[in-house]
Amino acid sequence: MIAHSEWKQGEVFQGIAENGNTIMFDANSVHQYGPSPMEAILMALCSCTSVDVVSILQKKRQAITGLRVSANATQAPAPPRVFTHIKLTYAVGGKLSRKAVEDAVSLSKNKYCSVSKMLEKAATIEYEIVYPDGEPEP
């Protein structure tokens, strides 16, 4: 995997992957042109674990209809301002088994999500699962 970054203006940078995919990063506090690099890391964590959870639940033939993973992170007060604590909230919808969802989230965190595995070297990562449509089957 290869990537690079190009300075565009002010505090705006364009990240470019070897396949040509791009993302704009804006280190200015307004974030007018894109997320800050640290926000992008949180978004990558949410996306990485989402891919795992959806895939696992589909393989378990669970009728998942929605998933929203939110991250709330705390950073160190002084540079480097690494994440020290991250709480993930999984809001899952569909006709699901509680055990299947818990297993999928656990497998993502402990085995499959490479972003989570990297971040947990610096930060404590905890999670909760909520069911906006009501409690699932046991």
Side-chain angles (χ1 to χ4, degrees):
M1 188 177 297
I2 300 171
H4 70 275
S5 174
E6 294 180 11
W7 176 49
K8 293 301 184 182
Q9 65 182 20
E11 296 180 65
V12 178
F13 300 82
Q14 182 178 34
I16 305 162
E18 65 184 309
N19 66 1
N21 286 333
T22 65
I23 184 171
M24 297 300 284
F25 296 102
D26 189 344
N28 184 295
S29 61
V30 178
H31 305 302
Q32 178 180 351
Y33 299 102
S36 72
M38 293 302 280
E39 288 172 329
I41 289 171
L42 278 185
M43 290 188 292
L45 171 61
C46 292
S47 297
C48 181
T49 190
S50 293
V51 168
D52 295 338
V53 170
V54 168
S55 175
I56 292 165
L57 289 174
Q58 287 175 335
K59 287 176 184 169
K60 291 180 177 239
R61 302 200 189 288
Q62 294 291 302
I64 184 169
T65 58
L67 174 64
R68 179 183 178 130
V69 179
S70 304
N72 188 335
T74 304
Q75 289 181 267
R81 297 203 56 227
V82 299
F83 293 125
T84 56
H85 183 265
I86 301 169
K87 181 173 183 183
L88 296 173
T89 301
Y90 294 79
V92 187
K95 189 169 174 62
L96 304 162
S97 152
R98 175 185 291 278
K99 181 173 180 353
V101 174
E102 290 171 356
D103 288 349
V105 170
S106 178
L107 279 169
S108 176
K109 181 182 185 308
N110 298 315
K111 185 173 182 180
Y112 294 115
C113 181
S114 52
V115 177
S116 178
K117 297 308 280 181
M118 282 192 299
L119 287 173
E120 71 184 16
K121 294 182 185 314
T124 301
I125 301 175
E126 66 176 331
Y127 65 85
E128 71 175 336
I129 302 167
V130 296
Y131 302 93
D133 299 333
E135 289 299 309
E137 301 171 3

